[in-house]
Amino acid sequence: MALPTSTAPAPSPLPDPPPAPARAERGRTLGVGFFVKLILVGLADALGLYGMLTAWAIGQWAILISLVVILALVNWAYFSRRAVAAKYLVPGLVFLFVYQIFVIGFTGYVAFTNYGDGHNSTKQDAIAQISEQNEVRVDGSPTYPLTVLSRGDQLAFAIVDDGAALLGTSGQPLDEVRNATVDDGRVTASPGWETLTFADIAQRQDEIVALRVPMSDDPADGSLRTQDASTGFIAVPVLQYDEATDTFVDTTDGTVYRVSDTGNFVSDDGVVLTPGWRVGVGFANFGTMITDPRMAGPFAEIFVWTFVFAFLSVVTTFALGIFLAVVFNDSRVRGRKIYRSLFILPYAFPGFLSALVWAGMLNDRFGYINVVLLGGADVPWLTDPLLAKFSVLMVNLWLGFPYMFLICTGALQAVPTDLIDAARIDGAGRWQTFRNVTLPFVMMSVAPLLISSFAFNFNNFALIYMLTGGGPNFVGTPYVVGHTDILISMVYSVAFESGSKQYGVASALSLLIFVMVGIISWVGFRRARRLEEF
Amino acid sequence: MSSEISNDTRLKGLRWWSELGWRHVIGLVMIVICVFPLLYALSASFNPAGTLTGSYELFRQLSPENYAELRASPFGLWMRNSLLVSSVTAAGTVLMGAAAAYAFSRFRFSGRRAGLTTLLLLQMFPQMLAFVAIFLVLLAITDVFPALGLNSHLGLVCVYLGGALGVNTFLMYGYFNTIPRELDEAATIDGATHTQIFFRIIMRLVAPILTVVGLLSFIGTYSDFVIARVVLQRSEQFTLAIGLYNWGSDERNAPWGVFAAGAVLAAIPVVVLFLILQRYVVSGLTAGATKG
């Protein structure tokens, strides 16, 4: 598409001689530019270093490695004398790698894991959470008069045990505080801490009930908890993790929970402990849609509808667009500029807004179309499966025809008029001329754009989401999906809106879309090229 | 029969109808279809009834009530967020895209062809398809750089900039190639560094394409819904697309009039930009972009 810069043939893939060496050497003068560069790169380094330390501290190895690579690249590019092209490419490439290439790769990785609700983190985190969540109050253990204190966001419990005042937080086991005020066996104040008032307690109730203060450094000793913010009791973990055998043992009845290959601890009779952790699950996510009998039918419908929707969207918008372009291509028609400006209004208006406006107008009970235009009819434009599909296509026609009108108008300029005149003289009617002369010419330049348009509509998330939300919904499916959902809006629903968030399954679906869009584009562009040769 | 009037440029009567008149009929019908939903939104925005039910008679009432109500709502905040995010993204896109296009156009380095081909390939896989992974990656980044993670405008801009090279580099690359290299060479002989050539000579000569790319990027970002929705979760950080969606999608309790007023105000910057720069937008479109 682009013209080569010089008269020389297309540049060879081998490295060409570097640009005039004088340029690189001259760049080393210590001008203002150099200091600007020094400061900017220095800032980037400082920020990167800070990020590395943080990532190290919390064990985000992927981020740590990425930062090391990025910083090395940046420093090399800007302080090397030879990497002139790199200086211009690095900023864009860094963003491209992190937010496009890596993200696409990460989609691939997640697609093969059970990442999602109940499997959000590592095994270590899961073990800690299971121990924490499965605590019971020790039978017959003493209760303590308890005081809740705060320091900023942090809450603490204070009790009196054997005459000593003890204070602890979630991160700091109970320990003696010497200068606390004790009144009637209860701590009333402690320096540096604020005693919570009744109103504070009512407000932060959830936090207080959830707070567990370890009795000592040994987790087996249990922790201090409270239900009412005035008496505390000791709760000990019921489930003990045994590192040697990698199992959880229930201290009350001796049940053993072993590691399963789905990333959970499971007992012999099938009781699953939550949360689990992230593990690879092979191709399981790809099969879910077909193997789950509740999903197989709806998925097949959504799959087919995605193609039908994208195909019909392109065909209808193109048909109307080229029709109008041909109709108004006659220079004798007055006011063509006005027509053109008004025709592109639906295109100029932001798409997400028009979809919402249409959703309001098509509302079956209150919408303008039913109530006013159809005189109080009760047409279920958006709530009947078939009509909703029709409405989606119609609104998309409204949104999309101006684009086709514009590009067809452009393409028509390239059709030689003498060819049309010749056809006329040969006795061809309007339709014949259009079919056999105009259309092939227009198709030649427009075909690649039709393919892009197909790919775009294949993933036209905003329209579906704003207009129908995918509805009317299927009944009895494990995910909230509906008759007008296309694959991409289904991905969104599976990942974020269906009660349980299934990132793994959603990513597998995304991958499926990537593959299909890739195939469509490839096949499409090949055929378009053939059309051009013809 | 046609021979008598074939030389007359003014067509009359039946002949006018069969040649031109019907075109105007089609034109008028299309205008009604194009304009009606927009007029409806405009009318609803002036209707103080405020619900979907009350917006039946077009322009029956003209009250600024809904617009006044917008002032008390977070609408202004959303507008500011949208303008901020879109302008910063557009500026970043132009700078990064121009730099990359300059490198591809002016320097010969190993991997140049492969780089161009890769960019072309990546265009086929819009970033938006990977929104689940974008969410998860930002979730991880939040722990290290909260300012670049979820719920952050800067994080959102970074995601948008990740998709900046793919689409725009080609558009710019083609244009850069039309600027004669002799200009660079003359400047080099005069002692200019490549930085000076880029900022002082090239960037000025390619200003038209920079405008087009910036504009397309601005409109695209301004209208983006899904990525913004995934990244931003707090009401005060919403962009217009998310904020107005929340108003417009709730059919029973929707503050329909306020939504309509918001929609009218939100559409103005884009529609105006679009109409002013129509010519450029159209040429940009035919170069491969589609409505986003």
Side-chain angles (χ1 to χ4, degrees), chain A residues 1-3 5 10-13 15-17 19 23 26-27 47 50-51 54-55 58 60 63 67 84-85 87-89 91-93 95-96 99-104 106-107 110 115 320 323-324 326-328 330 332-334 339-353 356-358 360-361 363 365-368 371-372 398-399 401 403 406-407 430 449 452-453 456 459 461-462 465-466 488 491-492 495-497 503 506-507 510 513-514 517-518 521-522 525, chain B residues 10-11 18-20 22-24 26-28 30-31 33-38 40-41 52-53 55-56 58 96 99-100 102-105 107-110 112-113 119 122 124-141 143-145 148 158-159 161-163 165 170 173-174 177 181 188 191 193-195 197-198 222-223 225-226 229-230 240-241 244-245 248-249 251-252 256 259 263 266-267 270-271 274-275 278 282 285-286 288-292:
Chain A
M1 57 186 280
L3 296 163
T5 47
S12 71
D16 292 56
R23 182 183 292 176
R26 216 186 299 276
L47 205 69
Y50 160 80
T54 321
I58 59 174
Q60 286 280 15
I63 293 181
L67 281 173
V84 182
K87 290 181 174 61
Y88 290 89
L89 283 170
L93 286 184
F95 283 99
L96 181 77
Y99 291 102
Q100 186 154 15
I101 297 178
F102 177 76
V103 155
I104 291 173
F106 195 61
T107 306
V110 175
Y115 201 165
L320 184 57
F323 172 72
L324 291 175
V326 169
V327 166
F328 290 96
D330 193 319
R332 294 170 303 172
V333 180
R334 291 212 195 144
Y339 282 125
R340 193 174 121 145
S341 302
L342 290 170
F343 287 174
I344 63 169
L345 268 184
Y347 190 70
F349 200 71
F352 68 94
L353 289 174
L356 287 171
V357 170
W358 274 103
M361 297 207 309
N363 185 295
R365 280 201 294 155
F366 317 113
Y368 194 88
V371 177
V372 180
W398 185 87
L399 283 169
F401 86 85
Y403 170 67
L406 289 177
I407 60 173
R430 267 185 192 140
L449 298 176
S452 320
S453 172
F456 171 79
N459 296 306
F461 176 86
Y465 192 77
M466 305 269 181
I488 189 80
V491 171
Y492 188 85
F496 300 115
E497 295 205 319
Y503 304 131
S507 296
S510 298
I513 300 176
F514 272 119
V517 170
S521 308
W522 184 67
F525 282 118
Chain B
R10 286 280 174 110
L11 300 173
S18 76
E19 284 287 321
L20 297 176
W22 61 277
R23 297 176 204 256
H24 289 290
I26 291 173
L28 291 175
M30 284 314 296
I31 286 177
I33 294 175
C34 287
V35 169
F36 178 73
L38 306 179
Y40 167 76
L52 206 47
T53 337
S55 326
Y56 295 144
L58 296 185
M96 281 181 355
Y102 176 67
F104 281 124
S105 164
F107 302 112
R108 295 289 171 268
F109 49 94
S110 55
R112 180 176 164 277
R113 295 284 297 205
L119 281 183
L122 277 175
M124 283 193 220
F125 300 102
Q127 210 186 6
M128 170 217 144
L129 287 190
F131 58 75
V132 180
I134 288 176
F135 171 78
L136 297 174
V137 167
L138 288 191
L139 190 67
I141 292 179
D143 294 336
V144 180
F145 292 113
L148 291 178
C158 286
V159 175
L161 290 183
L165 276 202
F170 275 89
Y173 171 70
N177 282 345
R181 284 198 109 177
T188 312
T193 64
H194 60 85
T195 327
I197 295 175
F198 177 65
Y222 191 86
S223 316
F225 177 74
V226 63
R229 168 95 164 173
V230 163
L240 284 169
L244 288 176
Y245 168 76
S249 62
E251 61 182 54
R252 255 173 293 271
W256 188 251
F259 161 74
V270 176
V271 175
F274 199 95
L275 293 181
Q278 215 189 96
V282 172
L285 288 175
T286 37
T290 9
K291 183 164 188 178

Side-chain angles (χ1 to χ4, degrees), chain B residues 74-114:
Chain B
F75 180 82
L77 219 54
W78 299 340
M79 181 65 113
R80 204 206 59 179
N81 293 343
S82 267
L83 291 177
L84 191 76
V85 167
S86 306
S87 334
V88 175
T89 304
T93 300
V94 166
L95 267 180
M96 281 181 355
Y102 176 67
F104 281 124
S105 164
R106 292 316 206 237
F107 302 112
R108 295 289 171 268
F109 49 94
S110 55
R112 180 176 164 277
R113 295 284 297 205

